Amino acid sequence: MTAQRPLTYDALVERATADSSVVGLVLKGSRAHDGMITRHSDHDLYVVVADDATTDLARFAGHRTAELDLVVVSLTEFRAAGMPGFERYALARARIVLDWLDGGIARILADKARLGADEAFQDARGRLDAYANSLYRSVKNHRDGQALAARLDAADSVRFLLELLFALDRRPRPYNKYLEWELARHPLPGWDTDVLLRALDRISATGDVSEQRHLFTLVEAAARKAGYGEVLDAWGEDLALMRAQ
């Protein structure tokens, strides 16, 4: 395309639809999340090409403008995208623009949206221990008069906690931008969304120790119910510092 006629989303979709090498188009980002589009939102688009096929669209790989951000991949590469990786949530909530595989693109996205049982179990174990570690450090630093360190550790704990809670539900953690959107439409089982978000907001902003301890009490109950008691028990007497006083 010339500088006078930049590649647009609509033009790309039209070209891809007419290209027999293209088997799917997948839109991710804010335009795949109802109510999240702003005047700054571009179109983040995956162009999925049949394995071993050639297409003129390959020359647009990496194309990026204020309107259009393109990723051109083979079908095999698309299956592997975000498995694991940061891209997983984006694809888990992506919107299908074109699927010439009789639902094959949809099935690939569904696989990305659901963690395998073993994967979720191992992820949850690791995130639970990391959450407990950051929480413990935050409370201990607060006790010892290290206010900044306590707040930073509290903020770190929120990251691990969210990864834990979503792993327990076998889902990839949403990006922070989409956390409220995700929970409003797909609440975490057993959690009051408003209560959880208020606690995370307060902990992130202030590192409030009583709030952290109260939240840990709820997390501990959920983790033990899910079968992760041994991870918590490994903390021994240090659990007393983390629990509500």
Side-chain angles (χ1 to χ4, degrees), residues 75-134:
L75 180 59
T76 295
E77 291 170 330
F78 183 66
R79 289 184 191 278
M83 302 289 280
F86 186 71
E87 192 77 345
R88 186 163 187 173
Y89 174 77
L91 291 170
R93 293 296 181 212
R95 179 171 295 171
I96 296 172
V97 179
L98 183 70
D99 185 348
W100 287 142
L101 297 179
D102 295 325
I105 297 296
R107 287 189 290 273
I108 291 172
L109 294 181
D111 287 342
K112 297 180 189 298
R114 184 73 171 165
L115 275 62
D118 290 343
E119 177 187 14
F121 182 79
Q122 294 302 325
D123 279 359
R125 281 180 59 91
R127 299 305 184 268
L128 175 58
D129 196 49
Y131 164 62
N133 185 284
S134 290

Side-chain angles (χ1 to χ4, degrees), residues 132-150:
N133 185 284
S134 290
L135 169 62
Y136 175 73
R137 291 177 181 275
S138 178
V139 174
K140 188 170 65 170
N141 282 326
H142 178 269
R143 179 198 64 191
D144 296 341
Q146 300 290 331
L148 175 59

Side-chain angles (χ1 to χ4, degrees), residues 10 27 35-36 40 42 45-46 52 57 60-61 78 97 109 114 148 151 172 206 208 214 226 228 241:
D10 290 337
L27 185 68
M36 294 295 292
H40 302 293
D42 63 356
L45 191 69
Y46 266 81
D52 301 321
L57 293 176
F60 295 118
F78 183 66
V97 179
L109 294 181
R114 184 73 171 165
L148 175 59
R151 290 196 302 273
T206 68
D208 184 276
H214 175 69
Y228 298 92
L241 194 64

Side-chain angles (χ1 to χ4, degrees), residues 162-222:
L162 286 171
E163 291 171 349
L164 164 65
L165 296 182
F166 280 94
L168 288 175
D169 198 34
R170 295 179 58 183
R171 289 154 60 185
R173 175 197 162 177
Y175 306 150
N176 293 332
K177 176 180 179 179
Y178 301 119
L179 177 62
E180 292 179 84
W181 184 97
E182 180 75 17
L183 292 178
R185 291 158 179 80
H186 310 281
L188 289 165
W191 289 88
D192 182 303
T193 293
D194 290 338
V195 171
L196 176 60
L197 288 176
R198 283 197 298 270
L200 296 179
D201 186 17
R202 185 172 176 82
I203 291 169
S204 297
T206 68
D208 184 276
V209 169
S210 62
E211 190 76 61
Q212 290 192 74
R213 283 172 164 159
H214 175 69
L215 185 56
F216 178 74
T217 299
L218 302 178
V219 174
E220 180 177 9

Side-chain angles (χ1 to χ4, degrees), residues 147-159:
L148 175 59
R151 290 196 302 273
L152 292 174
D153 285 323
D156 285 345
S157 78
V158 168
R159 167 198 164 191

